[in-house]
Amino acid sequence: MQTFTTIVAIVAVIGVIWGLIKRYETRLVLITGGLVMAFLSFKPMIAFHQFDKSMTNPNLIIAICSAMGFAAVVKLTGCDTHLVSLLTKPLKKLGLFLLPACGLVTAVVAVALPSTAGCSAAVAPTLIPILVRAGFKPAIAAAMIIGGGIATSPFLNPGVSHNAFIAKMAGMDVMQLIAFSAPRTVGLGILAIILMTVVCVVYKDYNKNQTEEEMEANLALGGTAGNASLPEHPNVLKAIAPLLPVVILVVASIWFKDLKVSVGTAMLLGTIYVFLVTRANPAEISKKFFDGMGEGYAKIMGIIIAAGVFASGLTAGVVGDLVEFLKHAQSVAKLGGSVGPFLLGLITGSGDAAAFAFNEAVTPHAAEFGMSIPSLGVLAAFAGAFGRQASPLCGGLILVAGIAGVNPMDIVRRTAPVMVILLVCLYIVS
């Protein structure tokens, strides 16, 4: 019976990947694969329960829908064109180095917003159009955000659940653990940005001489076209509007932590600011904001919901047994702590479950195989994150794919090689 379940899971994964490559309707492919595996594992309700859970995930809904609503208002009022007009000339002077510069910006934001989806929702609507206008293809622009900027920097945030979990297990303060892991966190993060830039060169994703028509065609993929002519004299107050929510989130997280400003709050404040500086019709702004929220739920949350159903189907079958194997593979703890969470993150689009399962069962015994608890715990947490960033089922990756208007597999082809190299480096330094 177990052999049959394993075969079904393998066939389903291959079928889903094939369907995504063929560009069939993504949500249909994922939900079908998840339901088939759940039914054939005789656990059909796990898929339906996951569907309900994903539909009502407050963190994702707030971050994604509010960010897409704000992006719609920014586009309606033309604030995006003022920002681009203000920044295009000095940014274009950076040439290829604009890509790693945007990666560093994303990394800083990711420290304040450690959620992959939340950080992506905050920065992608602004950075992707800027990169595309500068001559970069939408796929590499999205890949730098998800695979470069958000590779490791979220682990510098003391609020990340993995940090608290590992620190408690090791009997350390959370900030002590962050200080312990900071050299590899920063080092691997910088390496990720450098490698993504190398990928850009290898894939020939940068054309500094692109025509206006090519630029607008690329922008149209993500629904960000429609303003071919930029204002000659940009209004600074309008230009800073698209960046305001990000600034609010960073400032609040550093100096006003007690306020607990969410992505939704920052986006709403940004919308109010847009209304004040543009003096646009408030009814039109309100309508556009909620239309954008609805579109964000339908196009992006819809795919994340479908991906959750697919992951639940895998969990009902072979993934559960694979996790159990990793828990008891103490003789190969280091290899299991790196490759295991990475593969599960790659398959399911979420690296947290595998990392937590491994750390809870195996990491307390780290001394028995010549490792420390912090070292093995961080290894598993990072490996799961790298697998997630290389998965077409990753919620944040799907989000930036939607914003960039590209297929998730186009991004994976760029992030996956980088994540594999990072995994090898992580294994060596752990």
Side-chain angles (χ1 to χ4, degrees):
M1 178 61 192
Q2 188 54 51
T3 302
F4 172 74
T5 303
T6 302
I7 293 174
V8 168
I10 293 173
V11 172
V13 170
I14 294 174
V16 166
I17 293 175
W18 179 80
L20 293 174
I21 293 174
K22 284 292 186 178
R23 298 177 183 263
Y24 294 141
E25 213 290 314
T26 306
R27 290 162 291 192
L28 175 63
V29 171
L30 293 172
I31 287 181
T32 301
L35 288 174
V36 167
M37 285 186 289
F39 272 93
L40 293 180
S41 298
F42 299 102
K43 299 177 182 178
M45 293 310 297
I46 193 173
F48 295 108
H49 291 160
Q50 181 59 46
F51 182 84
D52 294 345
K53 181 180 178 181
S54 298
M55 280 188 68
T56 56
N57 187 316
N59 293 328
L60 287 182
I61 293 173
I62 292 172
I64 293 171
C65 294
S66 63
M68 295 304 289
F70 175 71
V73 170
V74 164
K75 181 183 176 183
L76 171 70
T77 56
C79 290
D80 56 341
T81 62
H82 284 269
L83 174 65
V84 172
S85 178
L86 187 67
L87 298 180
T88 294
K89 288 184 179 180
L91 285 178
K92 278 199 169 184
K93 291 180 181 178
L94 290 175
L96 179 64
F97 294 102
L98 173 62
L99 186 67
C102 287
L104 289 173
V105 170
T106 304
V108 172
V109 175
V111 176
L113 296 173
S115 164
T116 300
C119 179
S120 299
V123 303
T126 298
L127 294 186
I128 288 179
I130 290 175
L131 286 167
V132 171
R133 285 184 182 275
F136 293 93
K137 291 183 178 178
I140 192 62
M144 175 54 84
I145 289 173
I146 200 74
I150 315 179
T152 63
S153 54
F155 288 97
L156 292 174
N157 188 309
V160 170
S161 56
H162 289 287
N163 287 336
F165 187 79
I166 298 169
K168 182 178 180 181
M169 188 186 308
M172 303 169 64
D173 180 75
V174 173
M175 294 309 297
Q176 288 179 316
L177 177 69
I178 291 176
F180 167 81
S181 62
R184 75 189 72 179
T185 303
V186 175
L188 291 172
I190 294 174
L191 179 60
I193 293 174
I194 294 173
L195 290 174
M196 286 306 311
T197 306
V198 173
V199 168
C200 174
V201 175
V202 172
Y203 276 70
K204 298 180 180 179
D205 282 339
Y206 174 59
N207 177 16
K208 63 179 179 180
N209 298 317
Q210 73 171 344
T211 65
E212 188 76 14
E213 291 74 17
E214 291 173 332
M215 178 191 71
E216 290 301 326
N218 283 330
L219 286 171
L221 290 174
T224 54
N227 296 293
S229 59
L230 299 176
E232 292 185 11
H233 304 289
N235 183 313
V236 176
L237 293 179
K238 292 182 180 180
I240 65 176
L243 298 174
L244 186 60
V246 177
V247 174
I248 290 174
L249 288 166
V250 172
V251 171
S253 67
I254 297 175
W255 290 293
F256 302 100
K257 295 181 180 179
D258 292 339
L259 292 179
K260 297 180 180 179
V261 177
S262 68
V263 174
T265 301
M267 295 301 166
L268 189 57
L269 290 173
T271 301
I272 295 172
Y273 174 83
V274 170
F275 165 69
L276 293 176
V277 298
T278 63
R279 289 172 290 184
N281 186 321
E284 286 297 318
I285 285 185
S286 176
K287 181 177 182 298
K288 200 65 178 179
F289 182 82
F290 286 103
D291 284 348
M293 287 182 64
E295 185 175 356
Y297 194 97
K299 290 187 175 180
I300 300 176
M301 275 301 300
I303 298 178
I304 293 176
I305 291 168
V309 173
F310 177 73
S312 70
L314 281 171
T315 303
V318 68
V319 170
D321 292 328
L322 185 54
V323 170
E324 286 301 316
F325 169 77
L326 288 176
K327 288 181 179 180
H328 298 92
Q330 296 184 3
S331 59
V332 287
K334 186 176 179 180
L335 185 62
S338 55
V339 177
F342 179 86
L343 290 177
L344 290 178
L346 181 66
I347 293 172
T348 65
S350 172
D352 290 344
F356 277 123
F358 184 91
N359 280 335
E360 185 173 4
V362 180
T363 302
H365 308 283
E368 298 176 18
F369 8 93
M371 296 186 70
S372 68
I373 289 178
S375 182
L376 184 57
V378 170
L379 170 67
F382 275 36
F386 293 159
R388 178 183 63 235
Q389 309 302 68
S391 171
L393 304 178
C394 168
L397 190 147
I398 292 170
L399 188 155
V400 295
I403 294 173
V406 298
N407 189 290
M409 291 303 297
D410 292 333
I411 300 176
V412 168
R413 281 192 284 269
R414 291 161 173 81
T415 61
V418 172
M419 293 303 113
V420 170
I421 294 174
L422 291 179
L423 180 67
V424 173
C425 295
L426 173 67
Y427 182 85
I428 293 173
V429 300
S430 295

